[in-house]
Amino acid sequence: MDEMAERAHSGVVITETITPRTASRRHGAGFWLVAYTFAVTMGFSAAPAPLYVLYQAKDGFGPFTVTLVFAAYALGVIASLFVAGHVSDWVGRRRVLVPAVLVNVLAGVVFLAWSSVPALLAARFLSGISIGMLTATATAHLTELHLAARPGAARTRADVVATAANLGGIGLGPLVAGLLAEYVGDPLHVPYLVFQALMLLGALAVMLTPETVTATRVRYRPQRVSVPPHARSRYLAAGAAALAEFAVFGLFTSLAPGFLANTLHQHSHALAGVSVFAVFGAAAVAQIVLARTALRRLLATGLGLLTAGLVLVTVAVWLPSLALFLLGAVLAGAGAGAGFKASIGIVLGLAPAESRGEALAGLFLAAYAGLAVAVLALGVATQAVDIRVALLGFTVALLAILAAVVRRLFRAS
């Protein structure tokens, strides 16, 4: 049956007929607009990674300060996830997505206006707030737009595109920023200006996208976190694995470009961007390729690749060897992507249906703690020992965490 829609223009109400086919096309187009916006905003969140060495050279700070700046981002994500990450369920997807993108645009303004350490901390914290608002909201919106455009279809396309936009976007951000920094003048401004334009286009695109949630008035509450009491040890094991997996992501988006420049003597900003892209591109590909893999096999593949990748990266820094470093980055990224997907699967299997959102919130809390605390600990270590020794300790610590929980993980899978 056709639907009648009314639109107001200059005080005149115009009635138009929206057929199911027209609505389907609008939702289909909106799906790709949201995917684009998701990808470019995630890309901006990681774009500073290859630029940190420039800030270090300009202002004379070391690896520890880089990890502080990165930790500010992770803290912003954590705070936003629990304060605003679930609000779109009540107020609508667009009312959260548009402000989320604009907060990252504001972070870009801070990057453009100042380059001091306090400004970097503020900009990265703002970017984290944006991403905490964005990830769950954009993923849910993509799923709903997909199902509205293709009623009765499986969710596979939405899941694949959400993964590509999320992890792929994070990988493309440093790649684009690194290429611009290497081959275009003014490397501390041009990358941000490019992403500013892309994100503003994204915000406009989202405003043109159909809403998929009817706004309801509810009493506000922060996101709750719950741990299934009957499976606490297995749940905590999944959280520990997520911590280690995100610590690997944090390593490559904070200190890895510095390793390339100062230890491997590779000063190309483009190469720094490639190394980060390799990690997140591999993570996205692993999650997509292994999407239908049984949970136990997915877990084994993820942990195996993650272990091999961490060992190769550590060996590469000690030799040193650029080829081993890049190979290790790809393996570690693929392992972290597959391993985190397995961690999510374990938690979804342990938690009752009515509290899965709260259980996943706890998992993401553990993951982003790894992103902040583990990388910050590595930064502190570089103040006391050689960076190669610090990385060796970081690798040993992560592998020890995984070894301590691996039996419980397989029991849960």
Side-chain angles (χ1 to χ4, degrees), residues 233-249 299 302-303 306 335-344 346 363 366-367 370 398 401-406 408-409:
S233 65
R234 287 170 287 169
Y235 178 89
L236 293 177
L243 182 150
E245 290 145 7
F246 268 56
V248 172
F249 290 144
L299 180 62
L303 294 183
L306 180 59
F340 186 64
K341 188 173 182 62
S343 295
I344 290 176
I346 289 171
L363 182 72
L398 293 190
I401 290 172
L402 294 175
V405 300
V406 66
R408 278 178 287 170
L409 288 172

Side-chain angles (χ1 to χ4, degrees), residues 63-65 67-68 255 372-385 390:
F64 176 62
T65 301
T67 58
L68 281 178
L255 294 180
V373 177
V375 175
L376 190 57
L378 176 58
V380 171
T382 62
Q383 299 295 101
V385 298

Side-chain angles (χ1 to χ4, degrees), residues 61-75:
F61 56 79
F64 176 62
T65 301
V66 173
T67 58
L68 281 178
V69 172
F70 186 78
Y73 165 78
L75 291 174

